[in-house]
Amino acid sequence: MKFALLTLSALVFAVSAIAANDSVAFFYKPEKVGVLINERSQTGRLSNFLNHFGNSDVLNTTSTDQKINISCARGQIGIACTFTFLPAQNIQIRDRALSVVTNVAALGLPNAGAFEMSFASSMKDKFNFAVSDKGEIRMTGSKILGQ
């Protein structure tokens, strides 16, 4: 019986690990928010994000006011991106949530039209990135505890 429970537990863990092709982690402090996204795919949302802004294997950009930093890179088995935010007039950080309004010019990105991607984790971490046809970028995220 003990062996059967151990085997079942290992099987459940293995299936969960295989099913999870991406992850998002929202790191909150009132003075800084960091978002880490990993995707174990070369054809997923992060790939589309990189392709949208120039089809490069690396994207590193910082806003003109130094309050937003985006860093992405393709690896052999996937893509990882980090987004870092410091409080500013257009960056609201409070109650374990983030709301950002900026534009492609402020981030030194090309205006390549509309694009959106969203991520959510089983730990209730969320992140959404959307750029409009006019180049306005809206980013939101949150870490909700105890739900």
Side-chain angles (χ1 to χ4, degrees), residues 12-31:
V12 168
F13 178 74
V15 169
S16 298
I18 292 169
N21 285 336
D22 62 1
S23 65
V24 59
F26 186 92
F27 301 98
Y28 173 87
K29 290 182 180 180
E31 66 276 2

Side-chain angles (χ1 to χ4, degrees), residues 26 28 95-97 122-125 142-147:
F26 186 92
Y28 173 87
D95 301 327
R96 299 191 177 280
S122 61
M123 299 299 292
K124 309 281 193 246
D125 291 2
S142 63
K143 175 180 250 358
I144 300 174
L145 300 175
Q147 292 188 1

Side-chain angles (χ1 to χ4, degrees), residues 1 17 26 37-38 50 54-55 67 75 77 114 118 131 133 144 146:
M1 179 69 174
F26 186 92
I37 304 169
N38 293 310
L50 289 174
N55 195 22
K67 302 291 184 175
I77 59 172
S118 293
V131 62
D133 285 329
I144 300 174

Side-chain angles (χ1 to χ4, degrees), residues 49 53 58-64 66-72 82-84 103-110 129 137 139:
F49 176 71
F53 291 114
V58 175
L59 173 68
N60 285 310
T61 189
T62 301
S63 62
T64 52
Q66 306 290 306
K67 302 291 184 175
I68 302 170
N69 182 280
I70 301 172
S71 180
C72 299
T82 58
F83 296 77
T84 306
N103 59 62
V104 291
L107 286 169
L109 296 171
F129 177 99
I137 296 174
M139 293 176 269

Side-chain angles (χ1 to χ4, degrees), residues 38-56:
N38 293 310
E39 198 168 50
R40 289 185 212 135
S41 170
Q42 294 291 339
T43 59
R45 291 164 284 182
L46 291 180
S47 179
N48 292 339
F49 176 71
L50 289 174
N51 292 344
H52 185 80
F53 291 114
N55 195 22
S56 175

